[in-house]
Each structure stands twice: as structure tokens, then as C-alpha cells.
Amino acid sequence: MHVFITGGTGQTGPAIVAELVRAGHQVTGLARSDVAATRLTGLGATPVRGALEDLDVLRQAASAADGVIHMAYGGDYAEPEAMIRRDVGAITVMGEALVGTGKPLVVTSGTLVLPFGQPATETTAPDRAGAAAARLAGEDACLAFVDRGVRAIVMRLAPTVHGPGDHGFVPMLITTARTTGVSGYVGDGSNRWPAVHRADAAVLYRLAVESAPPGSVLHAVAETVAFSAIAGTIGEGLGLPATSISAERAGTHYVSPFMALLYGADAPATSTRTRELLGWTPTREGLLDDIRDGDYLD
């Protein structure tokens, strides 16, 4: 297949590009800069210069491909509405380029769109008033193409996609521990946190673009870990105590009240249906082992 990917030089994107190339697929990737273009070339992909705002570029690249993986998401988080408009605009243009072809459009979301406090499955209704509800506009835009002859697929990533060079939630937690002198968890730390290794997530993206049925909602979740165990492993590695932080103090202990909300969220999610549907079996080390043995505490 010829796969066009956005976000191919982000945190998870390079692993997906490398996985596709290893499997024999031709890959083109959106590149906003010379640095991004060079990285894509080094991964074995062909860069397409442009950004998510360049809708004509997206349209042409999607039209020329046998399938699309949409990873890119970002911008100014102080202007969420602008981010949503950009994301939906990009998905809509690429989806329209695939109408009537039966080609795959894999759009990235996250399991944090689901209700907290219960083991959420792929069929659990998302929480449209929740902390990550902004990602649902992209899910809706993607799945709207199912009835228009597109093999539209939503991929919900675990909040922690770990591996070398991670710059997500766990490194932020480690930075806070180093700054405050304690490795904190909210309350009793029993809240659950999904995770997946980047290499395992990349395999799932490849399986999805190759064979997931239209309308699939997939969960890239390898395990669910108690947050107290994450904090304890970080504390052990840094030589700091793992300490309970009250919900009242969490907003000032962590980077922001929003991050405190996420770190205190009980957000378990399962991937049983995803595994059965595509034969996906995560094989890489779990989050706690990666924190101990990887580059997190260097």
C-alpha cells in the first residue's frame, strides 16, 4: 500500500512510519519543516511539504495514496476551538478525497474521551462533557465517512504511549517529582491509567490501515496500571518518597489544575475487542519496566 501520514515526525509517528516501511508499504508524510522532511527521509518515507492548514496539499496527498493515517494534532492549547477546527478541517478534506474508494482513513483520538471510573470498552459511549471531549469532533468527522464509501477507523491511544524519547505525561510527572522532592499521586493512588509501548501502538496502526473494517473504534491499550505504582516506580528510581497529594493540593502541586485532574482520573480502558478483531498482541515491556530500565530517569 501507499500510505500518507500526518504527524509522522511526532512522538508516535516515527514508529508508525518505520513499522509501515518494514512491512513493505510505501509511505509519504506531511512535513512542516526541513528538519521534519529530513527525518521522514531517514525513516524511509517521502516527505510532502505542508501543514494541516494546507488543505490542497492534504487533498492531493490523500488522493494519491491507498490510505491515510492522521496523527497530527496540536497548536495553541489556549485556543481549543481553533485546534478543533483545524483537526476537523484536515480530516474532512482527506476523507472527501477518499469518498467512494473503500480506502482506509485512520484518525487518532485517545481513551481519555471515555467516562472515568469504569473499565471502558471500544463500544462504551464517550463522555461528551469530559476532560478530553475536544477529540470527539475528530472522531465524529472520521466516522461520518463510513456511509460515503471510506474505510473510516478511529484509533484511541492510551494516555501514556511510552518508549525512548517520550515527552508526554510520565516525563511531566518525573519533572514535578524532581522539582517538589516527592513523587506524588492523588488521594490513595488507586486510580487506573492505561498505557501502551510505542512499538506496539505502531503495529496496531499498521494492522488497522491494512485490514480494520469500516467504522472500527480501536483501543491501543496494552495494560492498565495503578497510578500509585507509577509514582512509586518513579520515586524508587529518583530516590524520592512516593507521597499522597490531596485533591485540594493537586492543582498547585502539578503543572496545572488540568494536569492534576488527569493525574487523579480513574480512566481504565480495555482493548479486548481490538485484539480479537485484528489479532493484535502487545509484546513490548510494560510501563513500569520501561520507567525503571528505559531513558525516563536519565
Side-chain angles (χ1 to χ4, degrees):
M1 295 176 66
H2 169 194
V3 181
F4 172 62
I5 183 171
T6 72
T9 60
Q11 179 163 296
T12 306
I16 298 170
V17 173
E19 174 68 23
L20 292 169
V21 170
R22 277 194 298 270
H25 298 300
Q26 175 190 353
V27 181
T28 51
L30 189 67
R32 294 183 61 184
S33 66
D34 291 342
V35 172
T38 298
R39 184 161 195 201
L40 285 168
T41 300
L43 291 167
T46 301
V48 174
R49 292 303 298 266
L52 284 186
E53 296 86 353
D54 298 324
L55 299 185
D56 285 341
V57 172
L58 297 181
R59 183 182 297 107
Q60 292 170 15
S63 296
D66 299 315
V68 173
I69 294 176
H70 178 51
M71 291 289 298
Y73 191 85
D76 186 350
Y77 282 83
E79 299 180 358
E81 294 301 321
M83 292 173 63
I84 293 170
R85 284 195 301 272
R86 185 177 70 164
D87 188 48
V88 170
I91 292 167
T92 300
V93 163
M94 292 186 291
E96 287 176 346
L98 303 179
V99 166
T101 65
K103 294 178 180 179
L105 170 65
V106 182
V107 167
T108 303
S109 181
T111 62
L112 289 179
V113 302
L114 297 163
F116 294 160
Q118 59 177 312
T121 73
E122 294 89 340
T123 60
T124 300
D127 182 359
R128 294 190 173 272
R135 297 308 298 262
L136 291 173
E139 289 195 11
D140 294 342
C142 173
L143 295 175
F145 284 102
V146 171
D147 294 331
R148 301 180 65 190
V150 178
R151 186 156 60 86
I153 300 149
V154 167
M155 180 73 74
R156 290 177 180 155
L157 286 171
T160 289
V161 182
H162 58 94
D166 183 4
H167 53 266
F169 290 127
V170 170
M172 292 172 67
L173 196 64
I174 292 170
T175 297
T176 298
R178 286 186 163 127
T179 301
T180 63
V182 298
S183 182
Y185 53 86
V186 179
D188 65 4
S190 63
N191 57 301
R192 295 158 289 182
W193 195 252
V196 64
H197 193 283
R198 187 180 303 127
D200 286 324
V203 171
L204 184 54
Y205 271 92
R206 175 179 59 77
L207 293 172
V209 79
E210 288 174 346
S211 62
S216 296
V217 176
L218 306 174
H219 283 186
V221 174
E223 61 177 339
T224 298
V225 186
F227 210 87
S228 59
I230 299 172
T233 302
I234 292 170
E236 179 184 347
L238 295 178
L240 297 173
T243 303
S244 172
I245 307 297
S246 69
E248 293 74 21
R249 286 183 52 226
T252 54
H253 178 82
Y254 296 108
V255 174
S256 67
F258 179 72
M259 291 307 303
L261 170 66
L262 293 185
Y263 286 143
D266 183 35
T270 66
S271 58
T272 302
R273 185 175 183 277
T274 298
R275 298 179 193 224
E276 292 174 349
L277 183 67
L278 296 178
W280 179 59
T281 304
T283 60
R284 302 301 291 266
E285 64 266 36
L287 175 60
L288 301 185
D289 286 339
D290 204 2
I291 292 172
R292 291 189 191 98
D293 304 328
D295 63 358
Y296 282 95
L297 302 175
D298 293 345

